[in-house]
Amino acid sequence: MDIKRFILLSLLLSAACTTLSAARDRSGNNPTIHLCGDSTCAPKDMSKGSPERGWGMVFPGFFDDGVKIVNHARNGRSTKSFRTLGHWDRMMAMLKPGDYVFLQFGHNDSKQDDTLRYAPAYGAYSENLRRFIDEVRAKGATPVLLTPVSRRWFKDGVLDENCHGDYVPAMKAVALEKDVPLLDIYSDTRDWLKSLGDEASKPYFMQLAPGECECYPEGRNDNTHTVYSGAVRVASFVVQRIRQTPQLKPLSRHLLRKTVSQPCPCLQ
């Protein structure tokens, strides 16, 4: 082999190695979305046959492999108990620069008779959100606030549009104050439920007749928690808001062009 061919081959090999190394770096630095929230987002125990699904369970089905989703949400958690029960510290130990932390709380913060969870909207709730935001930013990650999913509270065919009281405006105020991306999932789910009406919205929630599900032999009348179809619809609203939010453009690039009907049928 003459010297010119040897040099050319060496340059090509070097370029190939550089490209491969860069590809590995990119794959190793892919962002993670950490979901922090309550039962409306949380993973569920599918081994017992319950049809309940949190929207965080189907959320990964909307993304390509360039984004990892870790669902830290747990049933019954508020901004207060999520920290005191250790979930926040476990999430922070995994958090790396370039990640995103989605914060969706409000359902359980309002429970005044529960000292473990209660956090007044314009008091501890807002302060807890500010603290979450500051700690996430200190690690080089991006906090994102999500207003809570609307409850399916109908009376005489009319949806209760104030099911979360001051918690939605309180979160919006914190988002504005701290210049944090806000995904207004409450407004989206509220408008969706209003458009469906009382009867047509029932199949999306844990509305089970006696004997319909072995887990609940006496049936269940649950207007907060969703089944698979409801979880998919809520997740699709989150995805739509991501697409509309300029600060989240790096995540939008990883969204798949899927229909909302079947992002991950294995969870049905």
Side-chain angles (χ1 to χ4, degrees):
M1 182 184 295
D2 61 51
I3 187 65
K4 288 184 178 180
R5 291 182 63 189
F6 177 77
I7 292 173
L8 179 60
L9 184 60
S10 297
L11 289 172
L12 290 173
L13 182 60
S14 176
C17 290
T18 300
T19 301
L20 180 59
S21 176
R24 285 174 176 167
D25 286 346
R26 285 195 298 272
S27 66
N29 291 325
N30 286 342
T32 298
I33 301 176
H34 299 270
L35 303 179
C36 300
D38 54 42
S39 57
T40 58
C41 175
K44 310 297 177 181
D45 182 0
M46 297 176 59
S47 66
K48 298 179 181 179
S50 172
E52 185 178 335
R53 303 287 183 268
W55 68 261
M57 298 174 70
V58 302
F59 189 57
F62 289 91
F63 287 88
D64 64 25
D65 293 337
V67 172
K68 181 181 179 181
I69 315 290
V70 180
N71 193 348
H72 304 272
R74 292 294 180 268
N75 292 358
R77 301 302 181 260
S78 69
T79 57
K80 182 178 180 181
S81 64
F82 196 81
R83 183 183 292 276
T84 58
L85 293 177
H87 306 296
W88 183 254
D89 286 344
R90 285 191 284 274
M91 187 282 297
M92 288 294 288
M94 299 174 61
L95 191 63
K96 65 183 188 298
D99 284 353
Y100 295 80
V101 178
F102 282 27
L103 299 159
Q104 184 215 267
F105 293 98
H107 277 87
N108 300 299
D109 293 80
S110 63
K111 298 182 177 179
Q112 297 186 31
D113 58 346
D114 190 336
T115 57
L116 178 67
R117 295 185 285 184
Y118 180 53
Y122 288 108
Y125 177 72
S126 296
E127 285 301 318
N128 291 339
L129 291 176
R130 292 186 187 99
R131 188 178 172 191
F132 286 155
I133 291 164
D134 290 344
E135 292 177 8
V136 168
R137 283 176 166 167
K139 293 200 71 169
T142 300
V144 181
L145 297 181
L146 290 75
T147 52
V149 177
S150 176
R151 292 185 173 99
R152 202 197 73 85
W153 282 0
F154 282 91
K155 184 176 181 180
D156 300 325
V158 178
L159 181 70
D160 180 351
E161 296 189 39
N162 194 35
C163 64
H164 292 302
D166 289 334
Y167 287 88
V168 171
M171 177 178 277
K172 290 181 177 180
V174 171
L176 185 62
E177 171 197 335
K178 304 291 282 185
D179 191 24
V180 173
L182 177 96
L183 310 184
D184 192 2
I185 307 308
Y186 169 71
S187 293
D188 293 335
T189 50
R190 175 202 63 197
D191 293 347
W192 166 59
L193 290 171
K194 284 175 64 178
S195 71
L196 289 175
D198 191 357
E199 288 302 316
S201 61
K202 285 181 179 180
Y204 294 94
F205 286 76
M206 288 287 288
Q207 293 283 320
L208 306 175
E212 183 179 349
C213 177
E214 215 174 296
C215 305
Y216 303 100
E218 297 180 3
R220 190 169 179 187
N221 180 23
D222 183 339
N223 294 306
T224 297
H225 302 101
T226 51
V227 296
Y228 175 81
S229 59
V232 170
R233 176 52 66 180
V234 175
S236 73
F237 289 131
V238 177
V239 166
Q240 181 180 340
R241 288 284 179 171
I242 290 172
R243 292 190 194 278
Q244 296 168 350
T245 304
Q247 302 98 310
L248 303 182
K249 191 173 181 179
L251 292 180
S252 297
R253 298 191 186 105
H254 295 284
L255 287 169
L256 300 172
R257 299 292 176 181
K258 282 194 172 187
T259 62
V260 300
S261 58
Q262 287 209 338
C264 37
C266 61
L267 294 176
Q268 283 183 299

